[in-house]
Amino acid sequence: MSDETFEIGLVGAGAISAGAYTAGVIDFLVQALDEWYRAKDAGESVPAHDVKLSVFSGASAGAITAVLGAAYLASDQPPLPTPDAAAANDGRNKLWDCWVDRIDIEHLLGRRDLEAAEAPVASVLDSTVLGDIARVGLDVRVRAQRRRYVGDPFELVATVTNIRGVPYVIPLEGHPAGHTMSLHADYMHFELSDSGQASAPDRYGLRWSDLEDPAKKAPLAQAALASGAFPVGLAPRALTHTMSGSPDLYSARKWRVPQPDSNPHQCFVAQSIEADWKLPRDYKYEFLCVDGGVMNNEPLELARELLAGEAGYNPRGPDAARRALVMIDPFPSESTFDLHAKPESPDLLNVLFKLFGALKNQARFKPEELALAAHPQIYSRFMIAPSRGGNKHTIACGSLGGFGGFLKHDFRAHDFFLGRRNTQKFLRDHFALLETNPLFKGWGQDTAMKDRFCVRRNGAPEREDGKLFLPIIPLVGAAARECYDPEWPHYLFQDLDNLSRQLDARLDIVLERLVAQYFKDKNWFMRLGAQWFLGSKKSDLRDEALKRVEADLQKMGLMAPRPPAPDAPAEPPVIGD
């Protein structure tokens, strides 16, 4: 690749309802690139270097947005810079349509998943709307020609938690059977390209035009839904691999394996490890999946390895970097340490819920990546995260552990526009390299161009050792206009009343089906007792859920003040001395 081309890998972190924020990031990023390349093609006086979007890995909501983002890049969809543009969207911008308009608590507390008389309860929430979203989001008309800044191939990776697991065995001296282990931190790897041919047997190849073929794009949709299947809350998804080659998909995967006798600077090599199927090569492997974020919430390393390629290394300095990862993380500071917290209660349910949180936080803890990202001279890793002036709370979808955005359209709309605004600032002020980087060789001594586009701090050009910082993606045209700044939204007490009715309806059907599901073979007396017990707990469950919602929204400043009771006596006047 030319020195004057900069390669970019995107990483979408798990986000639940804050996928709306990630969607806004992609919406502005593609608009900025389109505006810049349009100006270059028109011969305008703009930077002439190139970028290449080559990788998009994601977990959970990040994986869903990666798949929707690939369809967005493959087609022509209008960016949505303002609420007026969004109101007139009419489904054309799939990112907005899927992440803001379609996904709502009204649907998640529906009963479509339990319409069939024998349908079992697979999740607390009704997940059928997610299937609609996957179908609509991938319903695109593919461009006649791939965008010039999109890589060929374009690597798309969705992490999943494989409940069934993949068997491996490591032979050890003294133990003929070896040490057995099972892989559960799994992923689905696709390559979208002009040819449709996969470059390796551990991934699936698709043509861009295959996005118009329902059968060929179905695995993409299923991978996205599997990655976003939040445990218990949303229904798990089944995926399938047909093991028909040698090596099979899992045996062909490359791992970073330490080499004890190697040069200290090359102590790892990419090496495959054969899966221990003990079955014929032609084998249909079916497995159930839940949220990819449980095992790998920020799949940065997967993207890094793909971006680095055979070199295995991405140059890091501001005057040498040629490739970079950009993580989009709506919750970069979700895990907090309470200095004054007391030991947790040892009761069963409390420990169970806390254990899930501990597992998720441990999956996010990657000290080697933290150390690299924190180094001031490393310019191969960047992050876009919510920022809203000096406000304590920045992202409206952040309440209820990330589920809060499903409560109201206004929350998701706020975060979509915040994602656009934060991305504009990121491209203008942070996604930059020193002017001595070979990427900017074509700028020459064009001081006017440098002065126009260079990074500024407090109105003055930012410099390091006298050298300017220049943008990797310059803002031109409509992308250079200041982005819409959304107002902080609020949840009304009328909304809480509606939520109460929706919870009642969902609890009715779920509790009824749970009795039918788990007491089917019991006598009528036991079924009646179970119905009575669960029915007596319904109001407690609903009231506890509403209490939690109201408290969490108030904590984040999202709950509107409670209106005075209509018959409340007027406050007596206060008479001064």
Side-chain angles (χ1 to χ4, degrees):
M1 190 171 291
S2 164
D3 284 346
E4 293 182 72
T5 299
F6 194 85
E7 200 169 3
I8 300 169
L10 302 174
V11 182
I16 314 178
S17 65
Y21 178 86
T22 309
V25 169
I26 301 304
D27 189 57
F28 185 84
L29 178 63
V30 174
Q31 180 188 0
L33 286 164
D34 279 349
E35 291 281 355
W36 176 31
Y37 273 75
R38 190 178 298 120
K40 288 203 291 184
D41 292 341
E44 296 179 22
S45 180
V46 297
H49 67 269
D50 284 298
V51 299
K52 195 73 70 178
L53 286 181
S54 299
V55 180
F56 200 158
S57 70
S60 190
I64 294 174
T65 309
V67 170
L68 296 177
Y72 190 103
L73 286 166
S75 58
D76 288 313
Q77 300 182 30
L80 300 180
T82 64
D84 287 343
N89 181 49
D90 195 26
R92 291 176 298 161
N93 182 309
K94 306 294 185 179
L95 291 169
W96 174 275
D97 189 43
C98 292
W99 272 118
V100 182
D101 281 346
R102 288 183 179 270
I103 183 73
D104 191 81
I105 196 66
E106 178 184 0
H107 304 299
L108 295 171
L109 291 178
R111 53 198 306 163
R112 286 171 57 195
D113 60 330
L114 299 173
E115 282 179 351
E118 298 299 317
V121 177
S123 56
V124 172
L125 301 173
D126 180 354
S127 305
T128 52
V129 67
L130 299 177
D132 298 339
I133 286 171
R135 175 180 53 79
V136 169
L138 292 177
D139 182 17
V140 295
R141 184 180 296 277
V142 176
R143 293 164 54 99
Q145 196 167 31
R146 172 174 45 89
R147 283 176 161 94
R148 287 198 290 126
Y149 58 79
V150 174
D152 186 45
F154 180 74
E155 309 280 357
L156 188 60
V157 181
T159 65
V160 295
T161 297
N162 181 335
I163 294 175
R164 185 178 182 185
V166 180
Y168 288 87
V169 61
I170 305 299
L172 295 173
E173 290 293 334
H175 196 291
H179 173 64
T180 58
M181 57 183 67
S182 184
L183 167 74
H184 296 275
D186 205 350
Y187 59 88
M188 298 287 284
H189 186 171
F190 302 89
E191 282 185 347
L192 287 157
S193 65
D194 296 336
S195 70
Q197 297 299 312
S199 63
D202 65 339
R203 60 204 68 178
Y204 291 96
L206 293 171
R207 288 187 178 89
W208 290 100
S209 58
D210 289 340
L211 292 176
E212 294 185 359
D213 185 321
K216 290 180 178 178
K217 67 184 174 184
L220 269 178
Q222 284 301 108
L225 294 174
S227 187
F230 193 89
V232 181
L234 301 172
R237 303 282 172 167
L239 297 178
T240 303
H241 292 307
T242 300
M243 306 303 186
S244 58
S246 181
D248 62 72
L249 181 146
Y250 289 102
S251 299
R253 283 185 179 171
K254 301 290 187 180
W255 304 88
R256 294 181 75 229
V257 179
Q259 301 299 295
D261 299 325
S262 68
N263 183 308
H265 297 290
Q266 297 172 330
C267 54
F268 290 90
V269 297
Q271 183 177 320
S272 59
I273 303 174
E274 188 167 353
D276 186 41
W277 298 109
K278 291 188 174 66
L279 288 166
R281 281 297 180 191
D282 292 331
Y283 173 58
K284 192 175 183 180
Y285 173 59
E286 299 175 279
F287 53 107
L288 204 61
C289 295
V290 295
D291 195 319
V294 173
M295 297 287 182
N296 190 351
N297 196 59
E298 296 162 334
L300 190 143
E301 183 60 19
L302 288 171
R304 190 203 67 78
E305 290 178 358
L306 288 169
L307 200 64
E310 293 183 1
Y313 170 77
N314 293 315
R316 296 168 175 171
D319 55 358
R322 300 178 58 195
R323 298 179 290 271
L325 295 171
V326 178
M327 176 176 283
I328 308 163
D329 194 348
F331 302 130
S333 304
E334 184 184 17
S335 178
T336 56
F337 180 76
D338 185 353
L339 184 65
H340 305 291
K342 298 186 182 301
E344 302 293 343
S345 168
D347 72 86
L348 179 64
L349 287 179
N350 186 57
V351 171
L352 183 64
F353 288 126
K354 292 295 182 182
L355 177 61
F356 178 75
L359 288 171
K360 185 179 69 170
N361 287 331
Q362 182 60 41
R364 293 165 63 100
F365 180 68
K366 297 165 186 175
E368 69 283 2
E369 293 177 6
L370 289 171
L372 288 172
H375 197 288
Q377 287 300 303
I378 288 181
Y379 283 76
S380 59
R381 297 170 185 236
F382 295 83
M383 183 167 72
I384 302 175
S387 174
R388 199 171 65 90
N391 295 280
K392 179 181 178 182
H393 301 294
T394 56
I395 188 160
C397 291
S399 61
L400 301 173
F403 276 88
F406 296 138
L407 293 175
K408 193 160 185 174
H409 185 278
D410 291 355
F411 292 178
R412 304 187 297 276
H414 171 276
D415 290 356
F416 181 93
F417 288 118
L418 183 68
R420 284 182 50 89
R421 185 174 175 83
N422 288 170
T423 305
Q424 182 185 52
K425 180 173 176 56
F426 168 76
L427 296 180
R428 184 180 58 215
D429 297 344
H430 303 289
F431 197 43
L433 301 166
L434 283 179
E435 61 180 314
T436 49
N437 191 293
L439 181 67
F440 307 119
K441 184 168 54 178
W443 292 46
Q445 299 303 313
D446 191 338
T447 55
M449 178 90 74
K450 291 180 180 180
D451 184 66
R452 176 185 169 193
F453 288 102
C454 70
V455 174
R456 294 177 181 275
R457 290 283 183 270
N458 301 318
E462 183 177 9
R463 298 176 186 271
E464 183 177 289
D465 297 330
K467 303 166 189 171
L468 293 170
F469 279 92
L470 301 179
I472 296 169
I473 299 177
L475 299 179
V476 302
R481 300 179 199 134
E482 193 67 19
C483 271
Y484 169 72
D485 186 6
E487 292 185 6
W488 192 240
H490 290 97
Y491 199 68
L492 307 177
F493 277 89
Q494 299 94 297
D495 298 325
L496 208 57
D497 291 339
N498 291 335
L499 179 62
S500 177
R501 289 190 288 271
Q502 293 162 351
L503 277 169
D504 266 338
R506 180 65 183 174
L507 285 170
D508 281 340
I509 186 72
V510 167
L511 296 178
E512 174 191 315
R513 290 300 174 82
L514 285 174
V515 172
Q517 189 171 324
Y518 294 107
F519 292 85
K520 181 179 181 180
D521 299 324
K522 307 299 181 184
N523 62 50
W524 69 269
F525 184 75
M526 289 187 69
R527 288 198 303 273
L528 188 64
Q531 286 174 341
W532 174 83
F533 176 76
L534 291 176
S536 69
K537 294 298 179 183
K538 189 190 85 167
S539 59
D540 292 341
L541 290 170
R542 180 204 59 217
D543 293 345
E544 182 61 30
L546 293 172
K547 179 181 175 183
R548 166 75 189 277
V549 167
E550 184 176 350
D552 216 38
L553 294 179
Q554 284 180 340
K555 180 180 176 182
M556 290 192 62
L558 289 164
M559 194 78 212
R562 184 180 289 275
D567 299 326
E571 290 289 333
V574 177
I575 302 174
D577 293 333

